[in-house]
Amino acid sequence: LTIMFFGKKTSKKQQAYNCLIHFYKRINKMPPRNKNSSSLILGTTSSLTTLPREVLTHSILPLLDHFSLAVVAKTCTSLRSTVINFLTTNKVLNMVAVSRRIEMGTLAMAGDRKKEAFMFLTKNATVTCLRKLRIDDHQAMPVASLNTIKKVIKLNRNLEELTLVNMKLTIPVLQMISNLPKLRFMKLSPDICQDKEDKFSDIMEGLEKKGCEIQLHYDYF
């Protein structure tokens, strides 16, 4: 995606860099308010904490992956507050990448770490502005309980893309998902979700009639 910026086409990433350059030029021209504050605004001694929250939230944090966001949040109280504020506006949560990276570490701790990551990135399952949610789970170490995921989906009525692979979704959960007004893509594992009354097929058919693309995932071993 490119947009016009001062008469030229630039990407969002380039915009962020341009914004930072202008900010540093501005603070380097500003005289210090007093002797004690001079070290805070001169040259490369400026840190992330000196940047306006708007610059961090809209131009810096969107460029970071989920692990980097967690690292920034641990640096100090101010940046943790900024990251938490950013998570309330974040529209994409890709737990697939997070899960695979955690699983590359100590498997005995992977289950707890995945749950901690999910709760952090969803602000304890309270975020409300997600447009895309991707989960490729492992039944032995899920990222969250079905009730927690159900709560997140229920709070995010404007979801457009939903991936819930290797998860046993109950009929009530599937019915709730079918009522999402803007859902245009869904990926799930049918063999895990099948029910005796075959309501699964009816729900999938109903979603397709609403214009939602259904992608079935079978390789869950």
Side-chain angles (χ1 to χ4, degrees), residues 16-139:
Y17 292 149
N18 290 340
C19 186
L20 280 175
I21 290 171
H22 288 300
F23 173 76
Y24 278 113
K25 285 182 178 180
R26 178 164 58 87
I27 63 174
N28 285 333
K29 291 180 180 179
M30 292 171 57
R33 295 180 181 178
N34 53 59
K35 294 181 180 180
N36 294 330
S37 65
S38 60
S39 62
L40 295 177
I41 63 172
L42 292 178
T44 57
T45 58
S46 299
S47 68
L48 285 177
T49 56
T50 66
L51 291 171
R53 173 169 284 198
E54 292 75 13
V55 173
L56 286 169
T57 302
H58 299 293
S59 300
I60 306 300
L61 297 184
L63 301 177
L64 304 182
D65 60 29
H66 297 320
F67 283 89
S68 298
L69 287 174
V71 171
V72 172
K74 292 179 180 178
T75 56
C76 66
T77 303
S78 174
L79 287 177
R80 179 173 180 81
S81 174
T82 302
V83 170
I84 294 300
N85 180 68
F86 166 72
L87 291 176
T88 64
T89 64
N90 185 37
K91 291 181 172 57
V92 179
L93 176 53
N94 184 6
M95 284 301 299
V96 178
V98 174
S99 294
R100 295 298 88 84
R101 181 167 171 179
I102 290 176
E103 289 165 4
M104 291 174 64
T106 305
L107 281 178
M109 301 175 60
D112 290 338
R113 290 189 64 200
K114 285 163 67 173
K115 289 178 180 177
E116 290 174 4
F118 185 79
M119 296 306 283
F120 167 72
L121 294 168
T122 61
K123 288 190 62 185
N124 293 319
T126 62
V127 294
T128 60
C129 59
L130 290 177
R131 298 295 184 272
K132 299 178 182 180
L133 174 60
R134 302 185 183 115
I135 299 175
D136 187 342
D137 225 345
H138 192 301
Q139 294 189 59

Side-chain angles (χ1 to χ4, degrees), residues 9 11 15 58 63 84-85 96 110 116 131 145 167 183 188-189 205 209:
K9 286 186 176 180
S11 65
Q15 269 194 294
H58 299 293
L63 301 177
I84 294 300
N85 180 68
V96 178
E116 290 174 4
R131 298 295 184 272
S145 68
M167 293 182 58
L183 192 64
L188 72 169
S189 301
E205 184 178 345
K209 287 182 178 179

Side-chain angles (χ1 to χ4, degrees), residues 176-187:
M176 180 188 68
I177 292 173
S178 69
N179 290 324
L180 295 173
K182 297 185 179 181
L183 192 64
R184 292 294 175 264
F185 174 85
M186 184 175 182
K187 183 177 181 180

